[in-house]
Amino acid sequence: MQTASTGLGTVVVDGSGRTVYVFDKDTQGATKSACTGPCLATWPPVPAGSAPKADGVSGTLGSITGNAGTKQLTLNGWPLYYFSADAGPGAVAGQGVQGIWWAVSPAGSKVTTTAPATTGQGGAY
């Protein structure tokens, strides 16, 4: 994990520059994600490697066993996700989808700034 400057300010991205998100229906520190079934197709979990690295991220990285059966990366106890409709590095189309999906600050808190000139598409979860 690292940080990148986007239209939302500085947010956490993966090594390829892909924005990661948190889900308001998750519970911080829980051992399971609230994203199940069709949600996982739109919001795939960020996989956790054996020793995740954080460049510029001050929050604590960890992992849970995600609903897809693999290790899912967490930041400050919040499971992390990608948005399937993000077009590439630095894209933030998932920001604010359904008022429950948010990019993440380097400290591990959700960013509630509205994405400029782009809105995410996604079903209600």
Side-chain angles (χ1 to χ4, degrees), residues 1 11 17 28 32 40 57 63 65 81-82 87 93-94 102 112 118:
M1 295 282 101
V11 300
Q28 186 177 24
K32 290 193 138 229
L40 292 171
V57 178
S63 67
T65 299
Y81 306 86
Y82 294 117
W102 310 100
T112 57
T118 181

Side-chain angles (χ1 to χ4, degrees), residues 30-116:
T31 58
K32 290 193 138 229
S33 163
C35 182
T36 62
C39 176
L40 292 171
T42 304
W43 299 94
V46 175
S50 58
K53 296 181 180 162
D55 184 18
V57 178
S58 58
T60 303
L61 292 174
S63 67
I64 61 171
T65 299
N67 292 323
T70 59
K71 291 288 185 184
Q72 180 174 358
L73 193 64
T74 62
L75 183 57
N76 286 352
W78 293 103
L80 299 177
Y81 306 86
Y82 294 117
F83 182 48
S84 62
D86 273 349
V92 291
Q95 178 67 1
V97 168
Q98 300 292 320
I100 55 177
W101 292 95
W102 310 100
V104 187
S105 78
S109 58
K110 68 182 177 182
V111 174
T112 57
T113 304
T114 303

